[in-house]
Each structure stands twice: as C-alpha cells, then as structure tokens.
Amino acid sequence: MRRLLLACALIVSALPAFAVQPDEILKDPALEARARALSIELRCLVCQSQSIDDSDATIARDLRILVRERLEAGDTDEQVKAFLVDRYGEYVLLKPRFTWHTALLWGAPPALLILGGGLAFGLFRRRRSAPATGLTRDEEARVEALLARDD
C-alpha cells in the first residue's frame, strides 16, 4: 500500500505545474480560456522552448498579464499575437508562421528526410548490385582452381 501511495505521489509531482498565479486569472471564464489557449502558443523569451503558461520566469508572468490586458481591451486572438510579434519578433511564437523567411525552417526537415531516403536507397541498391565476393575474375579463377585441386 505504501508503495502505491509513493508511486502516486511521484506521478503527481512529475506532472507539469502551471505557472499561472491566482491573481492573474480573469473573472470571465471565456476570456480566461482564451488567455490560457494563447499562453500555450507563446514562448517564454528566457526559457528556450517553454510556453509562458508553463514558465515561472518574471517576463513570462508579464507576458501573461499583457495577454489578459489585451483580451480585456477587446483584442482578438490574432491581434494579441500580432501585437506580441511586432514587439518581440517571430521568436515569441512556439509555432512560427509559414512565411518566406521561415520557409527554410519548415522545408528543411522534409527535404532532409527525402534526401536521406534517396541516399539510403542508392547505397542499398549499389551494394545489392555489387558482386558478392568482391574478387576480380582472375582471383575467382584462382580460387576455383585451388578448390578443384583439393577435391
């Protein structure tokens, strides 16, 4: 029984702790849900790949408050994102938009996958068509002569 309780405690402690403080939460549940959805999509500027919803950093708290203020002012989700991108750059988005300057970011993984697959296929095909022994005709004749002599 103790082991089960210990295992449950470890599992619960391993779950992500959301950094949103009670004083940040909006009274309107619909606005709060929108703010949380936006917070999940926005990157903390000091925590490499952590959303502002998960980060305990001071700047993440400031960004969460800013998002909520913009929503209370009547901005749409896209207006809030556009405001933050104008202010902090494309880096603030966890999933960058597909534009001409992010095309390499989006196109590189599939291109590398296709290139790697083509190289692997070519190497496999070349290895398959190569002679099994790797001997020249003269060497093969000498081996056959030696084997025939032993019989």
Side-chain angles (χ1 to χ4, degrees), residues 18-147:
F18 295 110
V20 178
Q21 303 298 315
D23 62 330
E24 297 174 29
I25 297 175
L26 297 172
K27 290 183 173 44
D28 183 3
L31 277 180
E32 180 60 27
R34 284 178 55 205
R36 292 300 288 263
L38 279 170
S39 295
I40 291 171
E41 295 177 22
L42 299 171
R43 179 189 320 269
C44 175
L45 300 172
V46 292
C47 311
Q48 291 285 316
S49 60
Q50 195 174 18
S51 72
I52 63 171
D53 197 52
D54 296 331
S55 176
D56 286 329
T58 306
I59 193 163
R61 175 180 165 79
D62 294 342
L63 287 173
R64 288 191 303 265
I65 291 171
L66 180 64
V67 165
R68 284 167 171 76
E69 287 173 356
R70 301 291 296 188
L71 289 175
E72 284 181 323
D75 286 1
T76 65
D77 294 357
E78 288 306 313
Q79 288 173 327
V80 172
K81 284 185 201 175
F83 174 79
L84 291 170
V85 167
D86 289 343
R87 197 171 203 187
Y88 299 105
E90 194 80 21
Y91 181 75
V92 78
L93 299 175
L94 274 174
K95 293 181 183 173
R97 300 174 183 147
F98 185 77
T99 59
W100 67 268
H101 65 277
T102 60
L104 182 64
L105 175 69
W106 286 102
L112 289 174
L113 186 64
I114 291 168
L115 180 67
L119 286 173
F121 180 74
L123 289 173
F124 175 73
R125 193 165 183 156
R126 184 185 318 166
R127 184 171 285 169
R128 228 174 156 198
S129 65
T133 59
L135 301 175
T136 63
R137 291 188 191 273
D138 292 337
E139 292 171 334
E140 285 179 15
R142 284 180 54 199
V143 168
E144 287 177 20
L146 288 172
L147 289 174

